[in-house]
Amino acid sequence: MRVLIFGAGVVGVSSAWYLLKAGHEVTVIDRQLAAGLETSFANGGQISVSHAEPWSNPHAPLRALSWMGRENAPLLFRLRWDPALFDWGLRFLRECTPQRTRANIRDIVSLALYSRSRLQALRDETSIEYDHLERGILHVYTDRHEFAAAVESAKVLREFGCDRQTIDADECVAIEPALKAARPMLVGGDYTAADESGDAHCFTRNLAALCSARGVSFRYDTTVERLLTEGGRITGALLKASGASKVQTADAYVVALGSYTPLLLRPLGIRLPVYPAKGYSATVALADSSVAPTVALTDDGHKLVFSRLGQRLRIAGTAEFNGYNTELNSVRCQALMQRTQQFFPDLRPVDDPDFWCGLRPSTPSNVPFIGRSTFSNLYLNTGHGTLGWTMACGSGSALADIISGRSPEIGLRRI
C-alpha cells in the first residue's frame, strides 16, 4: 500500500522503517527542515522500561497539590482557562486508583519491553549509531518516603517482567562511582540492568537516512492543513509547502504528530485525550576531567534523568502543563542545573548548558494510542508521553503489523 505518515519524530520515523520492511510505499511529511527536530530533539535519552509507573498513580494528586504555585516544581499545572486541560485532568484523576495504575503499568511494561527488543534487533541489523550505552538505569532516592513507595512500585514492575531491583545507597555508588560525593544525600535506589540510553535525535536522523536510502520519501518544510474524508475513509491530505497547497492521496494515513495530533483530528470528530506536557532539558559538554555519570540515572523525587551521550551529559525532566507554550522558563532551567550540581559537584562543564524544552504528548494513563481510528484507513501512533523514545520501535513495528493485516506480537488497547 501507499502509506502517508504525518510526523518525522522518533515515532513517525520508526513507523516508516517498519512499514517499509513490511513492503509498503512510504512517504513522511514534517513541517521541520529535517527529522527529529521537535520532541525527539533533546529528550532524556533513556530507553527506560523501568519508568513504567505512570504519572497518574495513587500518590499523584497530593503531590501535585503540594507542588502548586512552585515555579520549580517537578509537576506544574498553570492555572488557566483551558477546557482541554480540564477534561484531561479529570481523566487523569480517574486513572489514579490502585486498580487503574496497576493495569496501566502492565500495558506500559509490555510495550516497553517489546520495543526495547525491537530496538536491539534493529541495531544488530543496521549497526545504527546514536551514542548508546547498555549500562542500565539507576533510580536514586534522597527521601525515605519516596524510597519506601518506590520499593512497592518495583515489586509490581518485577511482577510484569521489568527486573527493577531495590538496592541500598552504597550499592548505588558502587554501580555509579560518580555519585560518591552525593553519598550522604542518598537513602537507596533501584537498578534495572537491561535498560539503555542513547541520543534520540541522532537515532531518528540516522534511521531517517536509512529509510531514505531504501526508498522512503521524506517531504520536509511541509504542513498538513487538513484531512479530506468521504464515507468513513480518508480520501486525501491537503498539504502546504512553499506557500502552495496541494492534495496528496494514499491508501493509508498515519498520524504521528505527538502533541499536535488532537488538533488535526478534532475537525474529523475524533476527541483524543492527548495533552502537551512541556519538558525541559540541559545538555552539558564535559571536560575530560569531569566527574560525571556513565550509567543512566533517574532522580525520582525531582523527576529528572541524567544520561551520558558521548562527551555530553543530558539532564532532562519535569512537566509543565501550559498548553502549547514552548518558551523556556529560566527558573525551571536553573532548577535542572542546581540539582545536577548537588549530585555532581565536580562536573566541570566546557561551556554553558544548552537549554531546550519540548512538548510530550501525554495521555491521562500514560498508555499511548496505537492502531486504527474510527476511519477505516486512518491510523494513530501517538500519546507516548515521556516514553516516546522507549516505545518508538515497538510502536512502529506493531502499527506496521496492523496496517499489513497481521496481529501484533503484543496486545494493544483498543482506541
Side-chain angles (χ1 to χ4, degrees), residues 237-258:
L238 183 62
L239 306 178
K240 186 174 183 179
S242 302
S245 296
K246 182 180 179 180
V247 173
Q248 182 161 340
T249 62
D251 301 308
Y253 302 81
V254 176
V255 185
L257 291 172

Side-chain angles (χ1 to χ4, degrees), residues 36-256:
L37 292 182
E38 294 199 29
T39 304
S40 304
F41 182 69
N43 66 10
Q46 296 187 354
I47 305 299
S48 48
V49 180
S50 56
H51 288 179
E53 185 180 18
W55 290 347
S56 50
N57 59 68
H59 307 288
L62 286 179
R63 286 176 181 167
L65 285 174
S66 70
W67 290 329
M68 195 70 71
R70 281 178 47 194
E71 196 61 36
N72 63 348
L75 184 64
L76 179 62
F77 287 87
R78 297 283 183 192
L79 296 180
R80 55 200 288 272
W81 174 245
D82 187 342
L85 179 57
F86 182 74
D87 176 69
W88 189 94
L90 289 178
R91 293 171 182 261
F92 177 89
L93 290 174
R94 286 198 291 268
E95 297 291 340
C96 288
T97 66
Q99 295 81 8
R100 294 302 308 151
T101 300
R102 182 179 175 82
N104 293 334
I105 290 175
R106 177 198 63 211
D107 290 353
I108 293 168
V109 169
S110 174
L111 177 56
L113 285 171
Y114 174 64
S115 189
R116 191 175 66 194
S117 70
R118 299 301 290 161
L119 171 63
Q120 291 166 349
L122 188 157
R123 191 168 63 226
D124 290 342
E125 177 186 353
T126 65
S127 299
I128 189 170
E129 295 184 356
Y130 52 95
D131 282 332
H132 87 278
L133 290 173
E134 301 172 69
R135 300 199 61 188
I137 291 179
L138 174 63
H139 289 67
V140 294
Y141 300 90
T142 57
D143 180 276
R144 295 192 181 280
H145 297 292
E146 292 274 359
F147 181 48
V151 170
E152 297 306 312
S153 297
K155 291 178 181 176
V156 178
L157 289 169
R158 288 195 296 271
E159 183 180 338
F160 291 123
C162 175
D163 189 23
R164 181 168 150 176
Q165 297 295 326
T166 300
I167 58 177
D168 63 27
D170 289 331
E171 289 174 296
C172 291
V173 177
I175 291 170
E176 179 45 78
L179 287 169
K180 183 178 180 180
R183 171 61 185 85
M185 300 167 51
L186 304 181
V187 298
D190 292 315
Y191 181 56
T192 310
D195 275 345
E196 304 181 2
S197 60
D199 188 329
H201 171 243
C202 184
F203 173 86
T204 305
R205 183 187 64 209
N206 289 342
L207 186 61
L210 289 172
C211 287
S212 182
R214 289 164 168 78
V216 173
S217 175
F218 285 85
R219 293 184 56 187
Y220 295 117
D221 198 19
T222 301
T223 58
V224 52
E225 295 187 307
R226 61 189 176 96
L227 300 178
L228 311 178
T229 66
E230 183 179 331
R233 289 179 57 83
I234 305 299
T235 57
L238 183 62
L239 306 178
K240 186 174 183 179
S242 302
S245 296
K246 182 180 179 180
V247 173
Q248 182 161 340
T249 62
D251 301 308
Y253 302 81
V254 176
V255 185

